[in-house]
Amino acid sequence: MEKRRETGRIVPKAISFLLNRVTLLVLAVTLVLFIGGRFEIASATQPNAELEIQKLTSCYALGTDAIGRGNLLEGKNIYRDCFTQDSVLTAIFPDGASETRYGTDSWADFVYSVFQGNGYQATQHLIGTINISVQNNQARMTSYLHATHKRSETSIDVANGTYEDQVVKTNGRWKIRNRTLKLIDFLNLSSPTTTSSSTNARSANSSSALVIPNIPHLK
């Protein structure tokens, strides 16, 4: 009889011990999965954010080249997809002159005036060496620019510089709030005006000269 009582006490204790062990094991597994899931989400989110931000500088290049083709409306529509409504855009030229515009429509008008004033038939903006730093819903991005502006079949203007951007995430989307373009050069490259049968002569006659872009000051 006494043995049965003791057995009756041991069995509940054993069950309680096992339940406690199982509970601790379940909690441990849940905690590991939770932390691991959080880590995976964070790891996956960072590259995605950088990719989305990187696309913004390509977006701007496409908008600018649309304006370079003479399509101001298309350029404005593309710009609106890259920038916030309260965006500020500044260009600093090699001679120290600068131009600032508030809002992408105003900037597009400025770019169009510069391109038309210089007689450009088309443009091509190449972006590279992109560096991005993300901090929560804000980011900074720098990217190098090499831009070709076609004047004629034998003459182009070439610009090189760096874009410096402040980027923010609003309504689930990354957009540029502030962009500053710092140009390091703005050169005109022209082919020789007379045809030469000698490759060396053509090379010797080729010209490159520093020019200052025609920058209209809009009211």
Side-chain angles (χ1 to χ4, degrees):
M1 192 72 166
E2 185 66 28
K3 190 174 182 179
R4 287 182 180 176
R5 287 178 185 171
E6 188 171 342
T7 302
R9 287 194 298 268
I10 292 174
V11 171
K13 287 182 179 180
I15 293 174
S16 177
F17 176 79
L18 289 174
L19 287 175
N20 288 336
R21 288 287 183 174
V22 170
T23 300
L24 289 174
L25 181 61
V26 170
L27 288 174
V29 171
T30 302
L31 184 61
V32 169
L33 291 175
F34 177 74
I35 294 175
R38 289 285 296 275
F39 177 76
E40 288 177 4
I41 290 173
S43 299
T45 299
Q46 185 80 357
N48 288 341
E50 292 187 5
L51 180 59
E52 290 177 23
I53 294 168
Q54 180 175 323
K55 288 180 179 179
L56 296 175
T57 198
S58 299
C59 172
Y60 174 82
L62 293 173
T64 302
D65 288 337
I67 297 173
R69 295 190 299 270
N71 196 331
L72 177 59
L73 181 58
E74 182 183 358
K76 286 185 174 182
N77 289 334
I78 295 175
Y79 278 172
R80 291 178 191 136
D81 204 41
C82 316
F83 293 85
T84 62
Q85 292 183 349
D86 61 347
S87 58
V88 180
L89 298 94
T90 299
I92 302 174
F93 296 92
D95 63 353
S98 65
E99 200 71 32
T100 297
R101 288 289 181 268
Y102 300 90
T104 54
D105 282 359
S106 178
W107 181 258
D109 289 335
F110 168 68
V111 172
Y112 182 78
S113 296
V114 171
F115 287 178
Q116 292 295 305
N118 284 285
Y120 297 149
Q121 300 175 9
T123 65
Q124 186 180 77
H125 288 67
L126 302 179
I127 310 299
T129 317
I130 301 172
N131 186 43
I132 299 169
S133 175
V134 181
Q135 184 68 36
N136 298 324
N137 289 330
Q138 298 186 17
R140 291 186 177 274
M141 173 170 59
T142 60
S143 52
Y144 289 174
L145 161 73
H146 177 81
T148 301
H149 309 78
K150 180 181 177 181
R151 286 182 175 271
S152 69
E153 295 302 322
T154 59
S155 178
I156 60 173
D157 287 347
V158 178
N160 293 282
T162 301
Y163 293 115
E164 297 179 355
D165 302 320
Q166 294 180 11
V167 187
V168 295
K169 189 174 186 180
T170 57
N171 299 321
R173 290 194 57 191
W174 289 98
K175 290 194 174 186
I176 300 172
R177 174 172 287 167
N178 295 309
R179 161 159 282 201
T180 299
L181 167 60
K182 296 180 178 179
L183 290 167
I184 60 174
D185 61 41
F186 203 102
L187 303 173
N188 176 258
L189 305 177
S190 300
S191 298
T193 55
T194 58
T195 304
S196 172
S197 59
S198 170
T199 303
N200 292 334
R202 277 201 303 270
S203 177
N205 289 334
S206 297
S207 63
S208 63
L210 178 64
V211 298
I212 299 176
N214 179 23
I215 309 169
H217 292 274
L218 304 180
K219 299 297 183 182

